[in-house]
Amino acid sequence: MSKFCQPRCEVNVYRYCQPPAYPRTRQPLLACGCKLYRHDTRCQCHLLSTLARVQARRRSSDSARNERSLGRAALDRLREKKWGILNKLRRIGVFTLMWREQIRASLPKSADFISHLPAEVLLLIIELVLQSPLVGCDPHRHVKRELASVSRHWRNLILHSPSLWSSIRVCKPWDVPFVKAHVARSAECPLDIEFYWEGSTEYDWRAIRSRLIAVFCCRHRWRSLVLKNIGKDLILSSIFARQSIAFKRLTIIGDYPVTRPFSFSPNVDRTSVDYLELRACVDVNCLSNLSSLETLIIRFQGVGFPPTHAASSLRKLKSLSLSGYTGDLMFHPDTLHFPLVDSLSVNVTNARELMEAIVAPSVRHVRYTPHSCDSDMSSVFGNLSFKFLSVERLSLCDYTILWKTARKTNVESAQAVSAAFPSVRHVELHARHVEAFFDIEAACPADGWEHLQVLT
């Protein structure tokens, strides 16, 4: 077999035809009937099948190419649609802003209510803020500065309102220029002076003396005087040894004996004091000098107190508040006469003796707070009938120390209270007292209040 007649068909069978006219060339026939030529050994069927496969691959690649083209075209259309929508939204936003600005321009301008408040109302708000500062914060050194930094309007209002500069503290944080600024900006308003100083060195004395000089230049405008922890006679004598000092309110707070304020040198106008608050170890024997006193608040700390002599001159007293540890003080029945007292507050250890000693025919409001968790209201108010017939408002508070449980109010205590105050119209009860006063099984003690109108 000639090398030119190697078949590539699946059937490898050769059939030789009769000898051709030219004996040197042979034309082999394959099983498929295809002829093989000398210079082309590939079968015609194979060529056709290969051509068919190539055409099929070309058609498949053309279809895939067409699909990709269609996908790209669809994606481009979606992108164009998206940008068109975004452009429309952008134009809508621009038109919305334009219409909004036009509407705002056509309407009256919205007022800032806090800035357009009347000066009197804004001044009242600032005063309330300064009166209730945070714990440990000096309102005049910190809060006032912050409020003045809000706006020019607030700053001008604060700087030109003398009532905001009428409170002056004589203490170490307040330097002399700061004290003088308060004195100057307070104009002719009455001043509330507070002395708070701890120290006994020569440097402390020189420092407080420079501040006292700035304050005493306006001593004729003093309205109230507060003494906190002022236990040195040198400082107190410097305060009370000046000329013509007159004030209406006096508050003394401290933990050590203080007697100098009650010596009241001839330069002090005794008749001008109508408010006195004592929260220190003070001998109140000199209360008789205060003939115009209207409000008296005393927190006992076991000091000696001759009540009969002190109370004999307090004929103008209208409000009396007594609290603290009375110690060995003896109160005899019906010895403390207060003909004009309208409000009475009691929170002392021997409350029974005090209630028996007080004679207040005009009292209208009584406030009682037990001094210890073992206090029994039946022992305090028992057999006090016809002594407080004028009382119209009664406030019964609870024991104030949280980590101790107060004694539960029984029916006997409630009956004693209702019998001692039969004419009340307004009663304030703690939640711990309600069950005893409205006991259904026993006789309801609250039924004794025939004129009761308000219960809180």
Side-chain angles (χ1 to χ4, degrees):
M1 183 182 300
S2 175
K3 64 179 180 179
F4 299 104
C5 297
Q6 295 295 331
R8 291 189 181 182
C9 186
E10 294 180 357
V11 182
N12 194 10
V13 178
Y14 294 92
R15 290 189 307 172
Y16 296 93
C17 58
Q18 293 181 1
Y22 303 94
R24 291 185 179 182
T25 61
R26 291 180 299 179
Q27 297 179 355
L29 294 175
L30 299 178
C32 58
C34 298
K35 296 182 179 180
L36 293 177
Y37 298 95
R38 181 176 181 179
H39 301 288
D40 189 2
T41 58
R42 290 177 296 182
C43 177
Q44 186 177 3
C45 292
H46 178 69
L47 293 175
L48 293 176
S49 61
T50 302
L51 181 59
R53 286 195 299 271
V54 171
Q55 292 177 353
R57 291 176 183 175
R58 185 175 297 171
R59 285 193 299 271
S60 62
S61 62
D62 292 340
S63 62
R65 190 180 297 108
N66 293 334
E67 291 178 358
R68 287 194 295 270
S69 300
L70 293 176
R72 290 192 188 97
L75 183 60
D76 293 337
R77 288 193 298 270
L78 291 176
R79 287 177 179 174
E80 292 178 358
K81 191 175 181 179
K82 181 189 74 171
W83 288 114
I85 295 174
L86 291 177
N87 291 330
K88 291 181 180 179
L89 292 176
R90 192 177 293 108
R91 288 194 297 270
I92 292 173
V94 172
F95 287 126
T96 303
L97 292 177
M98 292 175 57
W99 280 105
R100 184 181 299 173
E101 294 297 333
Q102 292 180 3
I103 292 174
R104 287 181 178 178
S106 62
L107 294 176
K109 295 183 178 179
S110 59
D112 187 2
F113 296 103
I114 194 66
S115 298
H116 290 77
L117 283 176
E120 296 80 5
V121 178
L122 184 58
L123 180 60
L124 179 60
I125 295 174
I126 295 176
E127 289 179 352
L128 294 176
V129 172
L130 295 178
Q131 292 175 5
S132 56
L134 298 176
V135 178
C137 177
D138 189 349
H140 299 282
R141 296 180 62 246
H142 303 98
V143 180
K144 191 185 298 183
R145 181 179 301 174
E146 292 180 359
L147 294 178
S149 303
V150 172
S151 64
R152 188 182 300 274
H153 174 62
W154 285 33
R155 178 181 176 84
N156 294 333
L157 180 65
I158 292 175
L159 292 179
H160 297 89
S161 298
S163 60
L164 299 180
W165 304 88
S166 61
S167 297
I168 300 176
R169 298 188 65 188
V170 180
C171 57
K172 293 181 180 180
W174 284 48
D175 53 7
V176 178
F178 195 62
V179 174
K180 290 183 178 180
H182 276 70
V183 173
R185 290 173 180 170
S186 60
E188 293 298 325
C189 285
L191 298 179
D192 299 320
I193 309 298
E194 178 181 341
F195 288 88
Y196 177 77
W197 202 278
E198 292 182 349
S200 59
T201 62
E202 185 66 22
Y203 173 77
D204 293 329
W205 166 240
R206 290 196 303 267
I208 193 175
R209 185 176 181 180
S210 60
R211 291 165 174 81
L212 288 176
I213 294 174
V215 172
F216 279 125
C217 65
C218 56
R219 56 184 175 273
H220 61 283
R221 295 194 285 122
W222 287 15
R223 176 176 55 188
S224 65
L225 179 63
V226 179
L227 304 177
K228 289 185 178 180
N229 297 329
I230 304 295
K232 300 303 176 182
D233 291 338
L234 184 61
I235 299 176
L236 293 174
S237 61
S238 301
I239 297 174
F240 289 96
R242 299 285 175 172
Q243 299 178 357
S244 64
I245 299 178
F247 46 85
K248 292 186 176 182
R249 301 169 63 92
L250 177 61
T251 302
I252 302 177
I253 302 174
D255 297 330
Y256 36 77
V258 178
T259 58
R260 177 69 63 177
F262 292 96
S263 62
F264 288 109
S265 63
N267 296 326
V268 180
D269 186 5
R270 301 180 181 90
T271 61
S272 62
V273 180
D274 59 4
Y275 177 94
L276 178 61
E277 181 178 357
L278 303 177
R279 298 183 183 274
C281 297
V282 179
D283 186 4
V284 293
N285 190 19
C286 297
L287 287 179
S288 58
N289 297 327
L290 307 177
S291 58
S292 301
L293 197 62
E294 296 182 359
T295 301
L296 177 60
I297 301 174
I298 299 178
R299 181 172 181 83
F300 295 103
Q301 296 187 7
V303 297
F305 177 36
T308 305
H309 175 69
S312 60
S313 61
L314 301 179
R315 297 295 180 178
K316 296 183 179 180
L317 194 65
K318 296 181 180 179
S319 178
L320 177 62
S321 177
L322 303 175
S323 62
Y325 176 69
T326 55
D328 298 331
L329 298 181
M330 299 298 295
F331 298 98
H332 300 286
D334 300 333
T335 55
L336 301 179
H337 293 269
F338 303 107
L340 299 180
V341 168
D342 182 74
S343 176
L344 175 63
S345 178
V346 177
N347 181 17
V348 296
T349 52
N350 54 349
R352 173 65 183 186
E353 297 181 1
L354 182 61
M355 298 300 289
E356 290 180 348
I358 292 177
V359 178
S362 302
V363 63
R364 298 166 58 90
H365 181 201
V366 174
R367 179 183 181 90
Y368 172 74
T369 303
H371 190 268
S372 64
C373 58
D374 298 330
S375 299
D376 188 5
M377 289 191 296
S378 61
S379 61
V380 176
F381 299 106
N383 299 324
L384 289 180
S385 302
F386 307 106
K387 194 175 182 65
F388 297 100
L389 296 178
S390 61
V391 176
E392 297 182 357
R393 181 177 178 181
L394 177 63
S395 301
L396 299 178
C397 302
D398 195 17
Y399 186 56
T400 55
I401 299 180
L402 300 178
W403 57 84
K404 290 185 179 180
T405 304
R407 182 176 180 177
K408 186 177 180 180
T409 305
N410 50 28
V411 180
E412 291 76 10
S413 299
Q415 291 177 350
V417 172
S418 61
F421 306 97
S423 303
V424 293
R425 301 176 182 272
H426 184 183
V427 178
E428 298 178 7
L429 296 178
H430 190 269
R432 191 171 56 86
H433 306 320
V434 175
E435 183 178 357
F437 279 93
F438 297 92
D439 190 4
I440 301 177
E441 298 178 357
C444 183
D447 292 338
W449 294 327
E450 298 180 357
H451 305 284
L452 183 63
Q453 298 178 355
V454 180
L455 178 64
T456 56

